[in-house]
Structure formats: C-alpha cells, structure tokens
Amino acid sequence: MSESEEESKPKKKRAKFRFKCQRCDQCCLTRGPIPITLWDLEMWARNQVLSNFLPYLEVYTKPDGGVDLIIKPLTESEDKEKNIQENPEEAFKETPIEELLDKKCPLYSKDQEQCLVYENRPLSCRTYPLEYDGKNFSIVDLDCPGIGEEGMTKEELKEMRDTAKTMNYELTRIRIGLPVLNQIISRKVMMDLMRQNMQAMSQMSDEDKAKLNDILGKGQEQPPS
Ligand code: SF4
Ligand code: SF4
C-alpha cells in the first residue's frame, strides 16, 4: 500500500474510557490476591504503617516460576472451621492462591462497609479497574459498575491513566528485585531461627536435652529393611 493510500485509510477510533467509581465496594469484596509494589512498601514505610500490612503480605511463586508480593485474602472462617471439623488436617493446609481469586480483601470491613486502609490503599487499588501492560490500557473487570459512567474530569482520568502506567513500571521493578529480596529474607529468618534454637538449647537442663534427643531419634528411626 502506498503512503498516500495509507494516509487516506480511515483511522480506527479508539473507544473512549469513561469511568466514575460508584464506591459500591464490589471490587473489595471479590478482589482476590492484590499485587504489591515497592511504591506501596515505600509509602507504608513513609506513613509509618508498614507493620500493619506485614501480616497480610505473602510472596507468591507463580506457576511460571516468577514471584509476586501479594496481599493474600483470608479464607472465610466459617468455611475453614467447617472443613477443619470434618478433616482436622485441614488446619495445617495452606489455601492455594487459585482458590482465593474472588475472595474478599482482608482489609475490607463488611461490618463498617469500608476499606480500613483507604488513605494507604495499594497502588493497584488506585488504578482499578484500569491496567496498563506497557503498550495498551485494558479494563480488568467489565462488571465494575463504574465503567461507562460519566463524572470524572479530564484531569482525573489522566491521573488514573498515569497511575496505571506507574503500576506497570512498579510491578516490573518489584519483579526484578523480589527474588533476591526473598532469598535474603529467607536466609535471615533461617539464621534467626537457628540462633533462637541454640539459645533455647543452651537454657535446657541435661535431662530435658536427653529427652528431646530421644524423641527426635525416635522420629528419625529407619523403617525396617
Ligand atoms: S472500582 Fe468499580 S467495583 Fe470498585 S468500588 Fe468503584 S465502581 Fe465499585
Ligand atoms: S485495600 Fe482497600 S481499596 Fe484495596 S481492595 Fe482492599 S479494601 Fe478495597
């Protein structure tokens, strides 16, 4: 096709993104794991609330071997209690991420019908339901009642697009750094545990040490050949 033909071709019109959050909280109730970035960790550290988030954070190894830092949803306690009553070994089992994809965010209060950390909500919540993959924007939740609604100013929509771009950049940044960070943390946790074990052992009486060795020895007995 010649240049002039290319120029005369009607240009595809991109659908205009219209969005106004209805504050219906549907996304918080069904959000599943929320990706966390260095931007979030830095903001929480700056606002001195990092420790409040730590119990909810988990490093998730994806099927492709990559790792993400996430806020992991809690399983509904009633379901879990029922399962544990029927199968006591369930108490020690981790719930696979795949089963948590549409679960409630642990930082949403159903009683108060609100996000408990709104001022410090992660970057991913600030850009939801818009995502940017480095080339294109996409809407990740077509059921979001805010899609197609008027009411946001041009500046607010631009800010949302910029936030989606920042999210994309920050995800890349943490995905590069997280495997190294994870190894450092795991090594530190192991070292701390070993130090605690050695301290605890040094405080035990010889009699208790002998008993413990006896128990551990029994646990490692070889099966009869
Ligand atoms: S982003 Fe969508 S689903 Fe979430 S509160 Fe706003 S309107 Fe509701
Ligand atoms: S952190 Fe807040 S805004 Fe984000 S999903 Fe959880 S409850 Fe909703």
Side-chain angles (χ1 to χ4, degrees), residues 126-164:
R126 295 168 193 252
T127 180
Y128 195 90
L130 191 67
E131 259 189 28
Y132 182 70
D133 65 5
K135 279 187 183 161
N136 299 304
F137 290 98
S138 61
I139 294 165
V140 289
D141 176 5
L142 292 173
D143 294 330
C144 160
I147 303 291
E149 293 293 327
E150 300 280 357
M152 261 181 124
T153 62
K154 267 188 191 166
E155 291 70 31
E156 285 169 334
L157 282 171
K158 183 181 175 310
E159 193 184 326
M160 200 172 172
R161 284 200 187 93
D162 289 347
T163 310

Side-chain angles (χ1 to χ4, degrees), residues 188-205:
K188 183 172 180 329
V189 170
M190 283 302 294
M191 295 293 284
D192 285 350
L193 276 175
M194 279 169 67
R195 204 170 298 125
Q196 282 169 17
N197 279 347
M198 283 166 75
Q199 259 176 11
M201 285 288 277
S202 69
Q203 285 161 10
M204 284 172 84
S205 67

Side-chain angles (χ1 to χ4, degrees), residues 93-153:
K93 271 194 191 158
E94 279 276 306
T95 311
I97 293 290
E98 295 68 29
E99 289 176 25
L100 299 173
L101 293 182
D102 58 356
K103 298 284 182 215
K104 182 180 88 62
C105 169
L107 303 167
Y108 182 79
S109 162
K110 272 186 181 171
D111 294 339
Q112 297 174 37
E113 296 185 345
Q114 64 175 355
C115 169
L116 297 173
V117 295
Y118 194 75
E119 292 303 315
N120 289 296
R121 69 197 184 287
L123 197 53
S124 168
C125 303
R126 295 168 193 252
T127 180
Y128 195 90
L130 191 67
E131 259 189 28
Y132 182 70
D133 65 5
K135 279 187 183 161
N136 299 304
F137 290 98
S138 61
I139 294 165
V140 289
D141 176 5
L142 292 173
D143 294 330
C144 160
I147 303 291
E149 293 293 327
E150 300 280 357
M152 261 181 124
T153 62

Side-chain angles (χ1 to χ4, degrees), residues 12-29:
K12 254 195 201 166
K13 227 181 163 186
R14 271 192 287 167
K16 197 173 169 208
F17 175 61
R18 285 200 183 86
F19 173 76
K20 175 76 180 167
C21 182
Q22 305 296 298
R23 305 297 293 263
C24 64
D25 299 349
Q26 186 178 292
C27 49
C28 308
L29 287 162

